Amino acid sequence: MSEGFSFIHAGDLHLDSPFRGFEHISGIDEPIKENILRRLRNCTFAALENIVDACIEYEVDFLVLSGDIYDLVDRSIRAELRFRNAIERLADRGIPVFAVHGNHDFDNGIRARLTWPENVHFFSPGEVEYREVIRQGEEIARIYGISYPRRDVTENYAAKFKRHQNAPFAIGVLHCNVGGVPEHENYSPCQVSDLVQAGMDYWALGHVHSHRVLKDSPCIVYAGSPQGRNPRETGDKGCCLVNVSENGLIDLQFLAVDDVRWTETRISIDNIQSEGELITQLDNQLTGIRSIHNKKSVVTRIILTGRGPLHRKLQSGAPADILEELRLRLAGEDGDFIWPESIKCTTGIPLDKEALRKGETLLADLLALRGRADKDETLRSMLRESLAPLEDRTGSYVSSPSEAELDLLLEAAEDLAIDLLWEDDQL
Amino acid sequence: MRLAGLHINAYGILRDYTVDGHELDGSPVLVYGLNEAGKSTFMSFIRGVLFGFKAEGAKTVPVHGGQVGGWLLLENQNGEIYRVERTGKRDGKVSVELPDGTREGDSFLRSRILHGVSPVLFRNVFAIGMDELRKLEDLKKEEVSAHIYGVGTGVNPDRLARAVNTLESSARDIFNPRGRVQKVNALLKGLKDADRRIKQLEQQPARYLKTKDELAELEEEQISLGNKRRGLESRKSKLENLIKAREPWVKIQHRISRLKELEPVETFPADGAARLEKLLERREAKINALRQCDLAVKDLQEALNKLEVDARLMKYGPQIKALNEERSLYTEKRQRLTEEEAKMFQLQEYVRERLSALGPQWDEQRVAGLDLSLTVYRTAEDFEEQIRAREGNLRDIVRKMEAVQNNLHQAQEDLKDIENELSSLPVNNGITIALEERFTALEQLNLNLQQTGAAEVEIEGERKRVRDLQARKDFAQKNMEGETGYAKLAWLPWLAAALGIAGLVAGGLNAGGMLLLAGGLGFGFLAQALLKKLKHQAITRQEQFQREVETLDHELETLQANVIALGNRLQSLREKNNVLSNKLDCTPDIVLTDLPEIRRRLEQEREKQHHRQQLETEKQKAIKELAFRQETLSKIKKQETGKQEELDRLIDKWRQWCLEKGLPELKPADIVSFLYLADKARDSVNKFKVSCEERHQVLEFVESYLQRANVIASALDMEQADRSNADSFIANLAVTLAASEADAERRRELQSRLEKAEADQKLARTGLRETEEHITELLEQGGANEEEEFRLRAATYARREGLKQKVDGWKENLLSLAGSMEEYEGFCAELDSSTGDHNLQELEQVKAELGLLDDHAREVSDVAAEKRLRLEEMEKGEELARARQDRDMLKERLKREAGEWRVRTLCSTLLNMAREKHERDRQPAVLLKASGYLQEMTHGRYMKVISPIGSPGQLEVEMPSGERVEAPNLSRGAAGQLYLSLRLALAGHYSTRVAPFPVMLDDIAVDFDRERLAGALTVIKEIAAEHQVLFFTCHRHILDMFREQLPGQKCLAL
């Protein structure tokens, strides 16, 4: 290499994939509602455009995409066409694109037979191949990649990679689960040692939606998803700008390219006496959110915590009114917005549950039973059985609660029982 | 308590009815009597005595007369008997006789015997008839129900019921397995609709590809149709052209035959005839032109010969012109010379005047040497300003000094006034005690005098009380001594005994004597008893008086001690008052009313003292002020001296500076005016010099001009000019010169025109010759020897060429219709081989074919456009994204609602489990006991009595199988057994926790069959072992069963 180069590494675009965990909006004017929903429908595309803008702004030498560009199951032509448009924009600037297919866009799906610009290369399914990146007649990097031929690849694809000795700078592009990250399907499972063994200088990984640097040398990086798509994917999302110096040193910079940001807003009701006070505190906190997140549009889930006198009011339908009030204050018919998505109450009556559990009252018996349900499998089965009618009817729409979810449900049921049976004057 | 006996004075149908204790020994006791025998009245009487007759209603009214009432004997666990008597109308009057013979009232009965048990509780628990047994609602009354229902749950039963109801209804609102409108059910329907729509939209990729393929096919077909159309269009066009070409084709054939008939003139000069005519015309024109040129040359030569020019004048032309141009300047300078000379003389006069204004010693040279720069001005102004400022300062200081001297004088006057006023104030009259100390003493004395007065009143009151108590003590002692009067009657028994003995002696040992003896002894005993009673009463009263005397003694001692203490305090106060009076310079016998006068005197003294202090302060201030003024005056004087010295130094400096600058010794204020005059004088001198210079320059110019004019005059042999007419002389010369120059110019022009005319003449001759040569050449080219022959040949050639041109034109037409040279031959061949009719027929056929083809092409184009539109919609459309977004939002809502339902369902399930556990494990002791009784009564048919949690007032019984039956659903007999069990359990519960009472059961077994009666009697026997049970019945079979099952037990007949 006579001089250094730069590239952008992005992954898991999931174009045109809908926001999950966003509840049906009611009680709001249609234009406001449509402004929010339209923005959410298009935010993955906006993130893609931001990636392309970044490529142009930083004058990178190429773009690497590490899989799951779109969801085959979504069968969206719009996604493929918008992706092709983005590639064409890069073609106009002479920026090549190297992409692999992941589990969501594996390479045998039904796909529109689009004519792709010559600047893009999709790596072959099932076998590692490589492409040289030539600049002014000189090879500056060699990119190795492999695409998924099907969704459930359980083979360790990392083991298939092997660097050539004469490669000036080797980049491996792979969609995989390193170290068995539990939140994601264990496709193409591998370990950091497998990746190190391949001898690459940079691993451009996809599949895990949060940005992670697994190792500095060789540089093993999950770019993360460029756009959060559900309440769990909070905080800034983006891609990686990789600057490689002439002697192969890597400078990694994370670029936030997300269009709409998910956050959680937590407020304790411990010292709050009235709904008005709660709304004021929420309003103040939410108004400050946008400046924290670079004035991006924000969808936030409000979580009320703590124990206090406001709990009873919150149990009698107050959160819906508060939500509507905040939405009217913070969102408009166009432009950016702060959207309080929902209010989750984890508040309670100020009492010592453990002390109550030890008593001989009916409520104590109930709490003791709930406590027993943590360990008593028979009791747990009986409780599960009581939920069966719903599961029989809802089928695939609502899955049976996992053990952890059942624990949360029991916790909520316990709190509800306290709400219903505990006399305030006993406080 | 157990019932140990009773007596009814009059109550309902019973009168003078007594039950002795032995009749009630043992338990249970069966009270048997037929209807109207008085069983219920018996029970009612017991309740009435305990709680009042009023509540018992009409039963209380005595049927056989007499006063309502009677008594009960109640025996406690220690065997002590309490006699409770109640008589009189309404609730009657209560009297409780205690075991020791003392009597108490109603409150004792309620608190110590009944222990607060209410009539309702007693009626429901201890004295139960059939009516009470079946009144389940009475059990709900708080004091009863608390022991039966839900007390142990820790939850208000109503709240629990509300909670259960809330859980069930809210869960039902969210989801119902068979419902349609519930939230979850409605969401499921919405989701299924959304899925169907998405499924349709998800066919997009396949549809997109199919549409793309179809579009490609259509586009190919469009190309094919286009090709075909172009072929037909081409043929149609050719046929149309053939039809169009048919007429020129025929004409061409006709012209070709005519050409063959004309004389062959194959070549001829182009436009030969016209060209010949033009050449002939040109030859004529050339001849005429040559003639004109000859005439012009001749005329010009003649004019030239007539013109002559003055060469000597023309030689001095430039000088004359130069002088003429300067002529006006000369005239002006000549005029200005006069003005400058006048101005110069005037300025010379000014200089003289200004120098004399400066002084006799001042001339132009000295003024020129003077430094009049801005610095000198500024320096002079600075000097003036500094000197003026210092003089001003000096004046200010002098004014200030005068003001300070005035102030000093005023301060001396003020001090003198204050000292005079101070000397006029009276001095202190020798009192050494400070005024504030005397004020404090006055306040203390005021307080002490008030306390002294109060102490005097108090001591007097105490003394009065001592006297009263002493009187009461004396009275009590007197009464105590008077209580020994009974001793005076001690003789009475002896007298009776003596009388009896005397009677015996007198009557003998007969009946009479014995009677007398007995009477005497009886009287004696009576007297003794009377005496004893009197003695007892007297001793009691003596003891009371003794206690009173002792109490009074104690109070007297306390009071006397008080009096002494008060006396001491009074003495102490008086001593303090004496000291304080001395301080205030008063007599010791001072009283409270004297104090205001003393206070007024002290206030006046305080005011004078305050005034003196103020004057002293003012005096000190005046002294300080005087010192300050003197010091200020001294400082100002020093300042004045300093400023005067500074001014003197500055004036010396000023004088020195004037000398250095060559200026006369003037005041600073005058020097600026002097400098200004000097400046003006120097300005006048300068102006005079400039004026002299200007005059000299003007004179020089005038003289030079005159000299140059006279040089020309000499050369032209003309008269010399002077200063006054030099300008007019030059003007005349200039006019003459201009005329000569015009003639010379005219001559040059004529010469030029002559040369041109000669050249034209030559050119005309050449042109004529060339034209004639062209005519000869053209005739040769046309194959003619003369002009007429040429014209005939030209006409023949033109006709042939006309025919040929027409043929060529039509051929061009045909060529254009044929399209190209390559196609032309074929086109002509087709014209030759076909006819017009043929062509028309074929054209119609082709047009028809084209019409059909266009229709088809339009259809294909429409279909293709539609497909393109559809593709575009699919590429840009976001219906799928929108539908998917809607579905996901519905799913999320469903998840939330499902979560809500699950929480409620789990809560409900846990609550049911907790209720079962609570009902099973934590039922109140009463229900546990009742369960045992019921099990025994029903021989195990029902195992348990349960109060369902959350259903206040409800009872259920549980069978061995665990099945539960609600109380209202039980048979009359079973329900009776349930209620009896419950009440017996309650009776036991109360007896152990509150107070034991006899349990009275009034024909409660009438609904029981034999088997259950036996069970009931077994239970009653069990209870009777611990509590007294009175079992009332009017039924023989019950009596028999009782006797059979409980042999040896007492049976009381009414």
Side-chain angles (χ1 to χ4, degrees), chain B residues 163-410:
Chain B
V164 171
N165 193 36
T166 304
L167 281 172
E168 284 175 0
S169 67
S170 61
R172 220 170 23 243
D173 288 347
I174 296 170
F175 171 64
N176 184 345
R178 287 171 294 284
R180 298 180 65 158
V181 296
Q182 290 74 12
K183 289 174 185 171
V184 166
N185 301 64
L187 283 166
L188 282 170
K189 185 178 178 304
L191 268 168
K192 279 175 185 161
D193 292 344
D195 274 347
R196 267 196 297 279
R197 177 159 168 66
I198 287 165
K199 206 167 183 179
Q200 285 172 358
L201 290 167
E202 279 180 345
Q203 300 308 314
Q204 264 192 1
R207 277 210 311 276
Y208 182 79
L209 294 175
K210 192 178 166 205
T211 311
K212 262 191 123 176
D213 289 345
E214 287 169 354
L215 180 63
E217 283 173 17
L218 286 169
E219 282 170 347
E220 275 177 26
E221 192 179 351
Q222 276 181 315
I223 292 165
S224 162
L225 286 170
N227 292 338
K228 197 172 174 185
R229 193 179 193 287
R230 275 191 293 280
L232 285 170
E233 277 289 346
S234 169
R235 183 61 191 156
K236 180 190 160 205
S237 173
K238 190 169 184 181
L239 286 167
E240 284 170 346
N241 289 341
L242 284 169
I243 291 162
K244 285 179 193 165
R246 181 67 57 193
E247 190 183 346
W249 168 258
V250 172
K251 285 179 180 172
I252 287 169
Q253 299 310 315
H254 177 66
R255 295 295 184 276
I256 287 170
S257 64
R258 280 183 63 191
L259 264 173
K260 285 175 184 168
E261 291 168 4
L262 285 174
E263 181 191 358
V265 180
E266 293 305 328
T267 59
F268 199 80
D271 297 328
R275 282 165 64 196
L276 178 65
E277 294 308 321
K278 275 186 183 174
L279 282 168
L280 290 173
E281 280 175 16
R282 197 186 297 167
R283 184 174 66 184
E284 191 59 35
K286 295 285 183 188
I287 291 166
N288 288 334
L290 183 59
R291 210 175 283 140
Q292 290 291 325
C293 288
D294 291 344
L295 284 172
V297 168
K298 191 181 170 188
D299 290 345
L300 285 169
Q301 279 174 344
E302 284 174 1
L304 264 173
N305 292 335
K306 286 178 187 171
L307 273 174
E308 280 187 8
V309 177
D310 184 352
R312 222 171 24 153
L313 184 64
M314 290 297 282
K315 183 185 171 187
Y316 285 97
Q319 288 89 339
I320 293 166
K321 280 179 187 171
L323 285 168
N324 193 42
E325 280 172 9
E326 292 173 19
R327 184 164 50 84
S328 59
L329 182 62
Y330 168 77
T331 309
E332 186 194 326
K333 292 275 187 187
R334 188 181 62 199
Q335 182 65 32
R336 196 177 150 199
L337 180 62
T338 314
E339 289 169 6
E340 285 295 332
E341 282 172 346
K343 187 180 168 188
M344 189 180 71
F345 290 130
Q346 192 184 4
L347 284 169
Q348 197 171 15
E349 194 58 32
Y350 280 155
V351 168
R352 263 198 304 276
E353 282 174 13
R354 287 191 175 163
L355 284 174
S356 64
L358 289 175
Q361 301 88 354
W362 289 87
D363 55 14
E364 290 174 22
Q365 196 178 352
R366 193 176 169 191
V367 167
L370 201 58
D371 184 0
L372 294 172
S373 64
L374 198 61
T375 312
V376 172
Y377 271 95
R378 292 285 174 265
T379 309
E381 282 168 0
D382 286 347
F383 269 115
E384 184 194 352
E385 199 171 327
Q386 284 178 35
I387 290 167
R388 194 166 55 236
R390 278 169 176 70
E391 285 172 346
N393 285 345
L394 197 59
R395 278 195 299 277
D396 290 345
I397 287 168
V398 170
R399 274 198 296 275
K400 204 169 162 186
M401 195 162 66
E402 286 168 1
V404 170
Q405 279 171 339
N406 289 339
N407 289 342
L408 182 65
H409 180 69
Q410 185 62 44

Side-chain angles (χ1 to χ4, degrees), chain B residues 84 264 614:
Chain B
V84 180
Q614 273 184 335

Side-chain angles (χ1 to χ4, degrees), chain B residues 732-751:
Chain B
N732 291 335
L733 269 182
V735 170
T736 311
L737 178 65
S740 291
E741 280 178 344
D743 288 344
E745 183 60 30
R746 175 72 182 150
R747 189 177 172 78
R748 277 195 297 278
E749 187 192 339
L750 287 171
Q751 188 65 42

Side-chain angles (χ1 to χ4, degrees), chain B residues 477-679:
Chain B
Q477 279 174 336
K478 202 173 175 183
N479 283 341
M480 194 168 64
E481 286 163 6
E483 286 300 329
T484 53
Y486 67 88
K488 294 174 183 172
L489 296 174
W491 52 270
L492 265 175
W494 300 112
L495 176 64
L499 282 172
I501 293 167
L504 181 65
V505 172
L509 291 170
N510 56 17
M514 289 306 283
L515 191 63
L516 283 171
L517 181 62
L521 286 172
F523 180 71
F525 281 127
L526 276 172
Q528 182 64 30
L530 178 66
L531 198 61
K532 193 177 178 184
K533 190 175 180 182
L534 285 173
K535 185 182 178 185
H536 177 71
Q537 286 174 343
I539 289 168
T540 306
R541 277 195 293 273
Q542 264 183 332
E543 283 170 358
Q544 283 175 349
F545 285 129
Q546 182 61 40
R547 279 197 297 275
E548 192 179 346
V549 167
E550 283 169 6
T551 308
L552 289 170
D553 276 343
H554 180 68
E555 285 182 19
L556 266 171
E557 275 174 28
T558 310
L559 276 174
Q560 279 165 348
N562 261 356
V563 169
I564 291 164
L566 281 168
N568 292 339
R569 190 168 160 225
L570 198 59
Q571 184 59 33
S572 164
L573 283 168
R574 281 174 182 152
E575 284 167 6
K576 282 180 186 169
N577 290 348
N578 286 340
V579 174
L580 291 168
S581 304
N582 285 337
K583 272 189 185 175
L584 292 170
D585 197 23
C586 302
T587 55
D589 56 349
I590 190 166
V591 292
L592 265 174
T593 50
D594 297 335
L595 295 184
E597 177 56 28
I598 296 168
R599 188 183 299 281
R600 190 184 58 74
R601 217 168 55 227
L602 285 175
E603 290 288 353
Q604 280 176 352
E605 194 178 333
R606 179 189 268 173
E607 202 173 326
K608 281 176 188 166
Q609 205 172 31
H610 181 64
H611 184 54
R612 173 178 285 280
Q613 280 169 353
Q614 273 184 335
L615 285 173
E616 287 290 350
T617 309
E618 281 176 20
K619 183 183 172 187
Q620 290 307 318
K621 274 170 72 181
I623 290 166
K624 277 183 188 171
E625 181 70 18
L626 192 61
F628 173 70
R629 299 286 176 206
Q630 282 167 343
E631 192 180 351
T632 308
L633 184 63
S634 164
K635 281 180 187 170
I636 290 170
K637 277 182 178 169
K638 271 185 193 167
Q639 280 178 5
E640 190 252 340
T641 311
K643 292 289 176 188
Q644 186 62 53
E645 285 169 359
E646 265 182 42
L647 182 62
D648 293 344
R649 278 198 297 276
L650 192 62
I651 289 169
D652 289 344
K653 201 173 166 187
W654 157 250
R655 285 176 183 146
Q656 184 61 34
W657 181 76
C658 287
L659 198 63
E660 282 171 8
K661 292 292 174 185
L663 293 167
E665 192 177 322
L666 295 170
K667 287 182 181 173
D670 298 336
I671 200 71
V672 174
S673 307
F674 176 82
L675 287 171
Y676 182 69
L677 281 176
D679 201 10

Side-chain angles (χ1 to χ4, degrees), chain B residues 135-153:
Chain B
K135 275 186 186 171
L136 182 60
E137 61 271 18
D138 281 348
L139 292 177
K140 295 178 190 171
K141 295 205 169 140
E142 196 175 340
E143 63 176 328
V144 182
S145 66
H147 296 278
I148 304 173
Y149 309 110
V151 173
T153 63

